[in-house]
């Protein structure tokens, strides 16, 4: 080692063993989602190892080959797609089964390979000690993967349930996974794998927090969470070699209008999370339409929203034109919100804001047509109907006022957000066009649609 290398603490290449070199390359390939090459690397090493006397290295290579298979299955979300093909998929081939088997093997190897007695003086003692240490750390990683499989299964199932999604609980579960498993694998050889695991969990956590802040109309914190999610996703995407991917994730719609992940060079788990971020960005644009409108001119705002992954504004505009609705509102119930609601979602945390009461506790956060002034006689009726329609998920509450003759349709999007459509004149309560639009938009804005689409991204 040169004097310069000694000062920098850089090891000489000659001090790196063959096993360390293979392990470092293998984990680097896994972190780049290059599962086939990672498996090929250890399989070739395993074939060349048949004439070696170090059985521990052969066992490790066998486990790493299985780990590459499990990682490919996990990142392709195969464990979600398998539920549709339970008759032809063997349970022992599922990602959860492989990870469970690997957990037992890594725990066994951690104990078995630790040198003791005469083995401490053997020539392979240092290698066994390294492999035991790596096995112990990989057991933490595998536990984390098993927990994440359960987490994604839960996310997917929530999209079809007729109940509110508790995003606060989801964030707590995700933070617990990171806390319990991230500190367990920290060896320099597995740091690339740890980095990707961390980016995956943190980006998803930021997006779920963004959903919470958007739904409680907290502009600043929602913006910060979306920015952090964007930064983490970009950093994760940058780990994949540029030669392997295009510069942008293509969004190709299938015959049935559903975005397809098959054309994306990224693994499905990343593609879905990128889509989730786009969905939240689109939702952010609608919930804070009034705030954003004060920072630009209407034409530019509409143009920017049309570039969002989901053009919710144009969808509302098209329905308004087709149905001849008078007004379409998103109403925020500010009562008992954790963060006081200021003008347009802005509020300094140390500034006192008097609590809104009565009619003032209900606030329209979106109105279309935006240029039309709010017709005040509607508001007492709207607030009364909002109170009557609480906790009726996936249901439309209808009311007709005789004087003036107006028809009201109300759907609860989230615990504090309501969708209201008003027509001047009499409308049929069971009008399929109105009901379908409101139910679909409500499901989209409460994130049920994006959650239920998770299983559609599964790729074998």
């Amino acid at each position: 080692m040169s004097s310069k290398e000694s000062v920098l603490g850089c090891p000489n290449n000659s001090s790196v063993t063959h096993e360390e070199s293979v392990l470092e390359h293998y984990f680097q390939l896994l972190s780049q989602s290059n599962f086939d090459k990672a498996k090929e690397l250890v399989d070739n090493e395993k074939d060349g190892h048949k004439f070696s006397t170090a059985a521990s290295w052969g066992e490790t290579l066998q486990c790493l080959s299985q780990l590459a298979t499990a990682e490919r299955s996990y990142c392709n979300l195969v464990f979600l797609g398998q539920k549709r093909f339970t008759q032809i998929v063997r349970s022992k081939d599922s990602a959860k089964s492989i990870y469970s088997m690997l957990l037992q093997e890594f725990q066994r190897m951690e104990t078995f390979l630790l040198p003791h007695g005469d083995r401490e003086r053997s020539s392979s003692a240092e290698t066994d000690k390294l492999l035991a240490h790596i096995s112990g750390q990989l057991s933490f990683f595998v536990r984390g993967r098993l927990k994440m499989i359960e987490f994604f299964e839960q996310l997917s199932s929530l999209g079809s349930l007729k109940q509110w999604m508790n995003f606060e609980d989801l964030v707590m579960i995700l933070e617990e996974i990171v806390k319990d498993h991230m500190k367990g694998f920290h060896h320099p050889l597995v740091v690339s794998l740890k980095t990707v695991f961390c980016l995956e969990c943190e980006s998803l956590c930021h997006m779920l927090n963004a959903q919470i802040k958007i739904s409680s109309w907290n502009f600043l914190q929602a913006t910060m969470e979306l920015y952090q999610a964007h930064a983490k996703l970009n950093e994760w995407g940058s780990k994949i070699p540029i030669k392997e991917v295009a510069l942008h994730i293509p969004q190709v719609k299938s015959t049935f209008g559903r975005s397809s992940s098959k054309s994306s060079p990224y693994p499905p788990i990343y593609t879905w999370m990128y889509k989730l971020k786009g969905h939240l960005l689109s939702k952010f644009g609608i919930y804070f339409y009034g705030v954003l409108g004060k920072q630009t001119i209407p034409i530019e705002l509409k143009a920017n929203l049309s570039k969002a992954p989901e053009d919710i504004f144009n969808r509302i505009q098209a329905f308004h034109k087709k149905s001849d609705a008078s007004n379409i509102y998103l109403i925020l119930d500010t009562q008992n919100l954790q963060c006081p609601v200021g003008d347009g979602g802005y509020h300094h945390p140390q500034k006192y804001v008097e609590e809104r009461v009565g009619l003032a506790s209900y606030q329209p956060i979106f109105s279309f047509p935006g240029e039309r002034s709010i017709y005040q006689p509607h508001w007492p009726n709207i607030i009364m109907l909002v109170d009557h329609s609480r906790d009726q998920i996936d249901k439309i509450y209808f009311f007709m006022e005789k004087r003036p003759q107006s028809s009201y349709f109300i759907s609860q999007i989230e615990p504090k957000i309501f969708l209201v459509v008003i027509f001047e004149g009499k409308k049929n309560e069971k009008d399929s066009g109105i009901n379908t639009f409101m139910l679909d938009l409500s499901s989209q804005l409460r994130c049920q649609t994006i959650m239920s689409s998770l299983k559609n991204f599964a790729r074998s």
Side-chain angles (χ1 to χ4, degrees), residues 32-62:
Q32 296 171 349
S33 300
N34 208 334
F35 311 114
D36 291 338
K37 286 188 177 180
K39 181 175 173 58
E40 181 183 359
L41 172 68
V42 293
D43 284 346
N44 289 340
E45 176 69 17
K46 184 175 59 177
D47 292 339
H49 169 75
K50 291 179 179 179
F51 303 101
S52 173
T53 57
S56 58
W57 181 230
E59 291 182 31
T60 302
L61 293 171
Q62 179 64 35

Side-chain angles (χ1 to χ4, degrees), residues 65-196:
S65 179
Q66 289 294 313
L67 180 61
T69 300
E71 282 292 284
R72 179 175 55 189
S73 178
Y74 171 82
C75 290
N76 285 350
L77 300 173
V78 175
F79 56 91
L80 295 177
Q82 284 174 347
K83 295 182 181 299
R84 295 175 291 174
F85 307 105
T86 53
Q87 299 299 321
I88 60 176
V89 177
R90 294 178 296 178
S91 60
K92 70 176 183 178
D93 294 330
S94 68
K96 187 178 292 186
S97 298
I98 297 176
Y99 280 126
S100 298
M101 179 273 293
L102 286 173
L103 179 59
Q104 295 177 0
E105 282 299 303
F106 285 136
Q107 289 175 330
R108 180 189 66 81
M109 290 169 62
E110 180 186 16
T111 303
F112 175 75
L113 294 179
L114 282 176
H116 53 82
D118 294 338
R119 292 180 62 206
E120 291 186 355
R121 295 185 294 273
S122 67
S123 59
S124 61
E126 288 301 318
T127 298
D128 286 350
K129 187 183 297 184
L130 170 67
L131 297 181
H133 191 48
I134 294 296
S135 296
Q137 302 218 348
L138 286 178
S139 66
F140 279 95
F141 172 73
V142 169
R143 285 195 198 98
R145 277 292 192 242
L146 286 169
K147 289 292 184 181
M148 287 303 296
I149 287 177
E150 294 176 359
F151 187 79
F152 277 110
E153 287 175 338
Q154 184 178 0
L155 283 184
S156 179
S157 65
L158 287 175
S160 59
L161 296 179
K162 304 299 182 183
Q163 64 185 43
W164 304 119
M165 287 185 280
N166 193 324
F167 288 96
E168 288 83 358
D169 284 353
L170 292 175
V171 170
M172 288 178 60
I173 293 172
L174 197 52
E175 289 177 342
E176 196 69 22
I177 292 174
V178 174
K179 179 182 176 182
D180 290 346
H181 302 95
M182 279 301 298
K183 294 181 180 179
F185 56 107
H186 49 75
H187 193 280
L189 292 178
V190 299
V191 69
S192 56
L193 196 61
K194 176 181 178 179
T195 299
V196 170

Side-chain angles (χ1 to χ4, degrees), residues 13-28:
N13 289 336
S14 61
S15 66
V16 178
T17 65
H18 174 70
E19 289 81 5
E20 288 176 320
S21 178
V22 171
L23 289 173
E24 184 176 16
H25 189 198
Y26 168 80
F27 290 122
Q28 189 68 36

Side-chain angles (χ1 to χ4, degrees), residues 285-286 289 292 300-308 310-311 313:
I286 291 298
Y289 186 84
L292 300 172
E300 288 187 359
L301 178 57
K302 292 177 182 178
N304 288 329
L305 289 179
S306 67
K307 297 176 184 177
E310 298 177 22
D311 191 356
F313 181 87

Side-chain angles (χ1 to χ4, degrees), residues 164 215 283 286-287 316 327-335 337 361-367 379 382-393 395-397 409-421 438 441-442 445-446:
W164 304 119
S215 300
K283 178 176 178 176
I286 291 298
Y287 276 38
I316 293 174
N327 285 91
I328 301 172
Y329 297 114
L330 290 181
I331 307 297
L332 170 70
D333 177 9
T334 66
Q335 299 176 86
L337 282 179
S361 62
Y362 296 88
Q363 184 171 342
I365 60 175
F366 175 83
S367 173
W379 278 106
I382 290 175
I383 294 171
M384 177 190 69
L385 296 172
V386 163
D387 286 334
H388 279 84
S389 63
R390 288 186 186 278
D391 300 324
Q392 296 189 38
I393 190 170
K395 291 184 179 180
I396 305 297
Y397 193 85
F409 293 81
I410 296 183
S411 171
Q412 188 172 11
I413 299 174
E414 294 172 300
K416 292 293 182 179
I417 305 289
F418 298 82
L419 171 63
V420 179
V421 180
M438 295 188 68
L441 183 60
S442 297
L445 290 175
R446 73 169 66 101

Side-chain angles (χ1 to χ4, degrees), residues 274-299:
Y274 200 92
K275 185 177 178 65
L276 173 61
K277 189 209 72 174
H279 169 83
L280 292 171
L281 193 61
S282 302
K283 178 176 178 176
F284 177 89
I286 291 298
Y287 276 38
F288 295 102
Y289 186 84
V291 183
L292 300 172
K294 295 177 181 179
Q295 303 176 26
T296 184
I297 59 177
I299 295 178

